[in-house]
Amino acid sequence: MSSNLRPRTLRAKLVAGQIVLLTALCLVIGGVAVLALHAFLMGNLDREITNLKPPPPGSPYGAPGLNAIIRPDGTIQGTVELPGWQEPRRLTAEEISALAAVPSGPHTVDLGEVGEFRVVTDRMMRIKGLPLAPVMDVVWQMVWILAALVVAGAAAVALAGRVIVRRALVPLDRVADTATRVSELPLHEGEVALAERVPDEDTDPRTEVGKVGLALNKMLGHIGDALKARHDSETRVRQFVANASHELRTPLAAIRGYAELTRRSAEEVPPQVAHAMGRVESEALRMTSLVEDLLLLARLDAGRPLESEDVDLSRLVLDVVGDARIAGPGHSWKLALPEDPVIVPGDVQRLHQVIGNLLSNARTHTPPGTTVTTDLSVHNGRVDLTVTDDGPGIPEGLEVFERFARGDSSRSRAAGSTGLGLSIVAAVVGAHDGEVSVESVPGRTTFAVSLRTSRRTGRSQQEHTTDPG
Ligand SMILES: Nc1ncnc2c1ncn2[C@@H]1O[C@H](COP(=O)(O)OP(=O)(O)OP(=O)(O)O)[C@@H](O)[C@H]1O
Ligand SMILES: [Mg+2]
């Protein structure tokens, strides 16, 4: 039998078990009752046969039955009559030969046409007998009644059992519901309020379900504590990075200031010193931007809200690509903008940084002569900004959006890269409720940023698409 016919749920298993038990019990009780009834009726029949009065010589019994005699020479002769017959008839040869084989005690013999008879041979060599059919009729009737009772009982147990088992398992369902709700909570990051608990009524340790409920509640308590500890420690680290970056700003500004002062001072300084001061100034600048990046990331991680005003993304892209043309005259810069201005809600400075980082990557991580295409478009209420270059592509296996992830080429080191640029792109786009993705093969690298439009753009875009002229 295939396994999918087996009951699967606990409920079905319990009900099936009840039915099997009930049926087995009924069969045993019924079997014993039928056997006892049979033995009792046979005993009665045997007594009745023994007590049959011998008929006057030459005449048959008054009642139907079998009446024969064994002659001294061993031959048998007699009559048989079934209920409903007008009169007895003589025993046939087959019936006589069947009777001849019967031992003397009470015995059942099949007489063929007239059916089974219970016969007794007495000391006078008389064979007396009565038909067995009335006894067997009663026994079979009993068997059928019992069988019907078993079927009806099994059906009743199936119905009532389902209700009973279902009610008994309701607490288990409640515990399972709690577990399911917890499993759907986003626990992997941030501050998590793990308030879900199994209801008190299902935490009685004297019951089976209560034990599970209690254990689950304890476990949820531990998990809640662990998550809180994780969040606290994350917050402390973030706070530390934010504080450290903030504190570094002032001394860095001082270093830059003094370096600049030295550069501008009228007094001649030896060329070596001038060079050294130039390096100090440029490294201080680099460190300033690193510190600013770290501070921004720490703030975004802490969920600090950004400015949210309508930003004209078309204008912004135009400006940033213009800056890139100046910074990278060796590259070819292409730009595709939709006719209508694209407006997104957001923080103009941070969005400027996003586009700037993407374009500066396309400039610093590709050789001169590379073509960089910036494309801005609106689809289904989302703004898509892509920056594509035909440079060598991103080194394989580099998780570019991870912090401090950078291709280890001497080019990027020389360009003073830190590997924070794309982490900032990802964090800022995330804070704008957007998405960023990258596809890169040698010869084609595309960064795609998708942002919400503000309602104004959506409408103007719709007008634009419904009216192609
Ligand atoms: N357009 C691109 N073509 C090839 N490689 C790229 C491109 N953009 C990014 N990469 C690779 O991804 C790495 C990570 O970029 P990311 O902007 O995060 O850091 P970075 O440019 O190295 O440093 P910075 O913090 O100064 O931006 C780069 O070091 C570079 O190896
Ligand atoms: Mg970069």
Side-chain angles (χ1 to χ4, degrees):
M1 197 161 280
S2 67
S3 65
N4 52 6
L5 273 182
R6 295 233 188 95
R8 214 177 286 274
T9 63
L10 185 56
R11 241 173 236 146
K13 278 182 188 157
L14 288 174
V15 174
Q18 286 180 341
I19 294 175
V20 168
L21 269 185
L22 175 95
T23 312
L25 190 68
C26 286
L27 287 181
V28 170
I29 293 177
V32 171
V34 166
L35 287 180
L37 180 72
H38 184 257
F40 172 75
L41 291 178
M42 289 299 255
N44 273 358
L45 187 67
D46 290 350
R47 224 169 299 130
E48 208 181 317
I49 296 170
T50 318
N51 292 340
L52 280 175
K53 289 274 166 354
S59 71
Y61 285 130
L66 181 141
N67 178 28
I69 188 146
I70 308 175
R71 293 278 171 77
D73 62 1
T75 56
I76 297 175
Q77 192 175 54
T79 57
V80 66
E81 182 185 354
L82 284 184
W85 287 7
Q86 297 295 327
E87 55 180 16
R89 69 155 167 73
R90 296 205 145 267
L91 289 170
T92 64
E94 292 104 72
E95 289 164 353
I96 286 170
S97 65
L99 282 173
V102 174
S104 62
H107 221 88
T108 303
V109 59
D110 188 353
L111 290 184
E113 187 195 331
V114 292
E116 286 190 318
F117 268 69
R118 190 73 175 166
V119 294
V120 177
T121 313
D122 65 11
R123 265 172 289 136
M124 318 288 290
M125 297 313 253
R126 269 190 324 234
I127 305 176
K128 301 181 284 185
L130 286 174
L132 203 59
V135 169
M136 290 319 287
D137 284 352
V138 173
V139 171
W140 276 115
Q141 203 169 351
M142 175 83 166
V143 168
W144 288 123
I145 290 174
L146 284 177
L149 276 178
V150 171
V151 172
V157 165
L159 289 179
R162 272 165 61 110
V163 175
I164 294 171
V165 168
R166 177 168 303 161
R167 287 190 56 182
L169 290 184
V170 163
L172 196 57
D173 285 342
R174 283 195 296 256
V175 173
D177 284 350
T178 307
T180 310
R181 280 198 301 276
V182 172
S183 73
E184 283 160 0
L185 290 176
L187 299 180
H188 58 285
E189 64 179 5
E191 187 169 17
V192 180
L194 193 56
E196 291 288 352
R197 288 292 184 277
V198 174
D200 279 346
E201 49 185 324
D202 297 327
T203 56
D204 183 348
R206 288 168 301 180
T207 68
E208 290 85 349
V209 174
K211 272 184 208 152
V212 178
L214 200 64
L216 190 62
N217 275 358
K218 268 193 194 154
M219 193 177 82
L220 288 176
H222 292 323
I223 294 176
D225 292 347
L227 290 176
K228 186 169 180 322
R230 180 192 72 182
H231 180 248
D232 289 351
S233 117
E234 270 174 9
T235 312
R236 272 197 302 276
V237 171
R238 214 173 272 150
Q239 195 59 47
F240 171 76
V241 173
N243 289 343
S245 315
H246 192 76
E247 290 304 319
L248 283 171
R249 279 169 143 184
T250 322
L252 275 171
I255 294 174
R256 270 196 341 260
Y258 280 112
E260 199 179 336
L261 196 68
T262 318
R263 175 157 52 81
R264 289 190 180 178
S265 75
E267 272 176 54
E268 272 295 315
V269 289
Q272 250 179 332
V273 175
H275 175 73
M277 286 322 282
R279 292 293 301 136
V280 166
E281 196 183 348
S282 73
E283 288 301 297
L285 258 173
R286 207 181 123 199
M287 197 161 166
T288 306
S289 91
L290 174 62
V291 160
E292 292 296 336
D293 285 354
L294 283 176
L295 189 58
L296 175 62
L297 280 174
R299 285 181 173 164
L300 288 174
D301 283 351
R304 278 262 204 110
L306 292 170
E307 298 273 323
S308 186
E309 64 217 343
D310 278 351
V311 177
D312 183 345
L313 206 59
S314 304
R315 162 113 242 129
L316 200 60
V317 169
L318 202 64
D319 288 350
V320 183
V321 172
D323 295 347
R325 277 203 181 100
I326 309 275
H331 286 62
S332 152
W333 301 92
K334 292 189 176 160
L335 175 60
L337 293 175
E339 271 174 42
D340 293 336
V342 176
I343 312 289
V344 298
D347 184 321
V348 63
Q349 278 183 21
R350 300 286 87 91
L351 289 174
H352 186 288
Q353 213 168 346
V354 165
I355 307 167
N357 283 359
L358 291 178
L359 290 182
S360 89
N361 277 352
R363 177 169 49 84
T364 47
H365 303 299
T366 59
T370 304
T371 304
V372 183
T373 310
T374 308
D375 185 293
L376 186 64
S377 59
V378 184
H379 299 290
N380 305 328
R382 305 278 306 179
V383 176
D384 293 315
L385 171 75
T386 58
V387 176
T388 308
D389 67 67
D390 58 359
I394 294 169
E396 210 167 309
L398 187 65
E399 296 287 341
V400 285
F401 296 111
E402 294 289 313
R403 284 163 200 192
F404 297 107
R406 58 183 177 193
D408 212 3
S409 72
S410 48
R411 260 188 69 81
S412 22
R413 285 205 182 285
S417 94
T418 56
L420 283 180
L422 288 174
S423 333
I424 287 189
V425 169
V428 171
V429 171
H432 279 82
D433 211 4
E435 281 157 29
V436 59
S437 61
V438 60
E439 272 174 39
S440 177
V441 287
R444 185 178 172 86
T445 301
T446 302
F447 284 90
V449 173
S450 154
L451 294 169
R452 276 188 301 134
T453 44
S454 67
R455 254 170 286 140
R456 258 171 61 195
T457 332
R459 207 184 314 132
S460 79
Q461 187 71 16
Q462 247 176 0
E463 280 160 12
H464 185 70
T465 47
T466 47
D467 178 17

